Amino acid sequence: MAASIAANCQLFLMSPNPWSQLRHDLCTPVNALIGYAELLLEEWAESENISGITELKEIRHLSQQLLETINRLIGPEQEGWRSIASQLHKATRSPLNTIQDDCQRLLNIAPANFTTDLQWILRAVDQFRDRLDALETGQSDEEISKTLVDGAAIATLVPQSSPTQGQILVVDDQPQNCDLLRQHLLRQHYTVDIALSGQSALNQIAQGDYDLILLDVMMPGIDGYQVLHRLKAHVQWQHIPVIMISALDEIESVVQCIEQGAEDYLPKPFNPVLLWARIDACLEKKRLRDQELAYQAERTELLEQLAAENQRLNELNGLLKTEKERSERLLLNILPAAIAEQLKQEQQLIAEQFDAVTILFADLVNFTQVAQTLHPKELVNLLNQIFSMFDRLAEQHGLEKIKTIGDAYMVVSGVPVPQPDHAVRIAEMALAMQTEIQQFRQPNGQPFALRIGINSGPVVAGVIGLNRFIYDLWGDTVNVASRMESQGREGDTQVTETTYQLLQQQYDFEPRGTIEIKGREAMPTYWLRGRKSCLS
């Protein structure tokens, strides 16, 4: 026996990576145990048969322990070859016996459609034991395979027709692995073909039209690496996605497969959820590529048409954008920004009540007489300069210009956006207007003078007009502000009692006394003189 082990050891150590090969050979039947146990648990649960669940869970648990034992005893830097066989026999004898007993009990109670999968579990147990025996006897892999691949096993691998989501080729030299994958795939409505060798796979690929290949790495003869290399070197096959599935989990194997063009690499035992996700991703990629090749000419023509149409639309959009910007600029020239935005939202009627605003009316004194001496262009140019200066001051103080009437100018604070300091803003506007008007001269060389009136209170604001919009204010506050201007004095700013009460703490005033206002009772008014000295 010692001579036999020594001879087998010598042959084994001649392989490129002997420990990986040994671990692969022993893990293959254990992965089958785990896979069939999980498949049966899923199907058993669907049948609502409680009896037998405990045994299946025990088979899965013990199989996972076997996998851990193999990985622990056969590491990447394993030493002490002589003791491996005896250690494995000792560590696996009890769990293998328990798995076999559980499986025999299940065969006695299982429905007929579960019998085949349970027999596969027993075959996997026998295969594991045979491989352990082969370590001691020197029996070859071919001799072991002959005891496993019988006629009944091959019969279960005949592809079954069903509504398909894709044509998949499973390539693995182990029949139980092929059957396990086939069952999973058929449950997901894939069409499945089986190849038990690398050469058989190449022959079937040459005759079939596959959407995906699940390829084992370690196979006798032409192995998975060689099959993958030939696929990716063939112009008609190189675009078929390939997922490598193997008990080998070394990073070198993963890297080699990916570098040769594999889409993915999954170690055994595979996670079904992860496998379906990878399969779906690969098939989707394959479908997209097939569609791209089939409709490439049509797509090119469509893209050319779209490019021409896009160019035309871009030109139209450019014209529309230019016109829209022009329209918005015109709208903003006659309406406040907030009101213009409401109009763009197609609001039919714009009318609001504002309880606290301050209104200013300003009039150019004696401008009617001056206008009679000026050429029309000179007249319009002069008014444009003066009112443009007023516009800049209104923008500077955050006010809203309402309109100009002849040589009169109307501005408001607190509309359309309420402002707590509305009166202060108008007071600053009035002082600035009285100062800036001094730079404009009449034909006789004298500076122009302003008559300004201010009042505070509630107003109604809104947009009127059909073809030509105007934003205006209505109410007694507006009328009184106008009377403050018309009944004011050249070069002065007259304010009402209401405005005076809002500003008296910050500005100096001179009482004018009580004056008669058309349509109103007599009221006290004040002349605005400037900021209080401590605030200026």
Side-chain angles (χ1 to χ4, degrees), residues 59 99-109 118 122:
I59 291 174
I99 291 172
Q100 194 169 33
D101 292 342
D102 285 341
C103 195
Q104 292 293 350
R105 281 195 296 272
L106 289 170
L107 282 170
N108 294 329
I109 63 173
L118 290 169
L122 292 175

Side-chain angles (χ1 to χ4, degrees), residues 12-13 17-20 22-23 69-84 87:
F12 178 73
L13 292 173
N17 192 341
W19 302 113
S20 295
L22 175 60
R23 186 149 46 91
T69 299
I70 295 169
N71 289 326
R72 174 171 52 83
L73 293 178
I74 309 177
E77 299 180 357
Q78 179 68 41
E79 296 181 1
W81 157 256
R82 294 179 180 277
S83 64
I84 290 178
Q87 290 184 56

Side-chain angles (χ1 to χ4, degrees), residues 404-417:
T404 60
I405 306 172
D407 58 356
Y409 189 88
M410 179 183 178
V411 67
V412 64
S413 178
V415 172
V417 180

Side-chain angles (χ1 to χ4, degrees), residues 163-180:
T164 179
Q165 296 188 30
Q167 183 80 18
I168 299 178
L169 177 63
V170 176
V171 185
D172 197 312
D173 63 311
Q174 298 297 321
Q176 69 267 34
N177 290 343
C178 293
D179 178 69
L180 189 61

Side-chain angles (χ1 to χ4, degrees), residues 171-471:
V171 185
D172 197 312
D173 63 311
Q174 298 297 321
Q176 69 267 34
N177 290 343
C178 293
D179 178 69
L180 189 61
L181 276 170
R182 181 185 63 83
Q183 291 196 56
H184 278 295
L185 293 168
L186 289 176
R187 286 168 63 88
Q188 300 296 323
H189 305 294
Y190 295 106
T191 298
V192 185
D193 287 344
I194 299 298
L196 293 173
S197 69
Q199 185 59 58
S200 175
L202 293 172
N203 294 339
Q204 290 179 240
I205 292 168
Q207 299 175 5
D209 183 17
Y210 294 105
D211 298 303
L212 176 65
I213 298 173
L214 301 180
L215 180 59
D216 186 30
V217 174
M218 303 296 291
M219 293 185 294
I222 301 176
D223 62 18
Y225 298 123
Q226 294 170 304
V227 174
L228 179 62
H229 177 75
R230 295 190 189 185
L231 283 174
K232 297 307 175 181
H234 197 287
V235 66
Q236 294 180 346
W237 304 340
Q238 60 186 208
H239 297 295
I240 302 175
V242 179
I243 296 178
M244 309 299 289
I245 300 180
S246 177
L248 282 178
D249 57 358
E250 285 87 353
I251 189 63
E252 293 82 2
S253 178
V254 177
V255 171
Q256 182 177 350
C257 292
I258 299 301
E259 287 180 345
Q260 287 187 229
E263 295 291 326
D264 217 323
Y265 188 106
L266 291 177
K268 299 176 185 176
F270 59 83
N271 182 311
V273 175
L274 185 59
L275 178 63
W276 304 142
R278 302 292 171 81
I279 288 177
D280 287 344
C282 288
L283 290 176
E284 181 64 19
K285 183 177 179 181
K286 175 70 162 45
R287 292 189 194 102
L288 291 175
R289 184 187 173 280
D290 290 345
Q291 292 175 7
E292 182 180 2
L293 292 176
Y295 298 103
Q296 187 173 9
E298 181 179 350
R299 188 182 67 173
T300 300
E301 180 181 356
L302 178 60
L303 287 175
E304 291 175 352
Q305 294 176 358
L306 287 175
E309 185 66 16
N310 282 338
Q311 183 177 356
R312 188 179 71 84
L313 290 175
N314 287 336
E315 292 173 356
L316 291 175
N317 286 336
L319 293 175
L320 289 173
K321 182 179 179 182
T322 300
E323 286 301 313
K324 181 181 178 182
E325 291 174 349
R326 179 174 175 272
S327 298
E328 289 182 352
R329 286 196 300 270
L330 290 174
L331 196 60
L332 290 173
N333 282 336
I334 60 174
L335 296 175
I339 302 304
E341 187 62 33
Q342 290 184 50
L343 276 179
K344 286 191 290 182
Q345 300 300 325
E346 299 183 358
Q347 185 168 333
Q348 296 299 318
L349 179 62
I350 298 177
E352 294 181 85
Q353 170 81 32
F354 294 90
D355 295 327
V357 304
T358 299
I359 301 169
L360 178 151
F361 280 93
D363 185 70
L364 286 166
V365 179
N366 298 325
F367 192 80
T368 302
Q369 291 81 357
V370 173
Q372 294 175 357
T373 66
L374 296 176
H375 185 276
K377 289 186 177 180
E378 293 177 326
L379 172 64
V380 173
N381 182 59
L382 177 60
L383 275 176
N384 183 58
Q385 292 182 49
I386 294 174
F387 286 163
S388 294
M389 180 266 290
F390 290 168
D391 288 345
R392 287 190 291 272
L393 290 175
E395 184 177 1
Q396 176 183 336
H397 291 93
L399 309 178
E400 196 63 55
K401 172 187 172 182
I402 298 301
K403 58 186 173 182
T404 60
I405 306 172
D407 58 356
Y409 189 88
M410 179 183 178
V411 67
V412 64
S413 178
V415 172
V417 180
Q419 296 165 321
D421 58 343
H422 54 91
V424 172
R425 291 172 183 263
I426 287 291
E428 291 296 323
M429 177 72 175
L431 294 174
M433 291 172 72
Q434 294 287 17
T435 299
E436 294 297 328
I437 195 64
Q438 300 295 318
Q439 63 180 292
F440 296 95
R441 300 287 171 173
Q442 303 179 43
N444 62 9
Q446 295 297 315
F448 280 102
L450 288 175
R451 189 170 54 246
I452 298 177
I454 300 174
N455 185 29
S456 302
V459 298
V460 173
V463 176
I464 58 174
L466 182 61
N467 297 322
R468 188 171 298 175
F469 296 118
I470 182 172
Y471 185 70

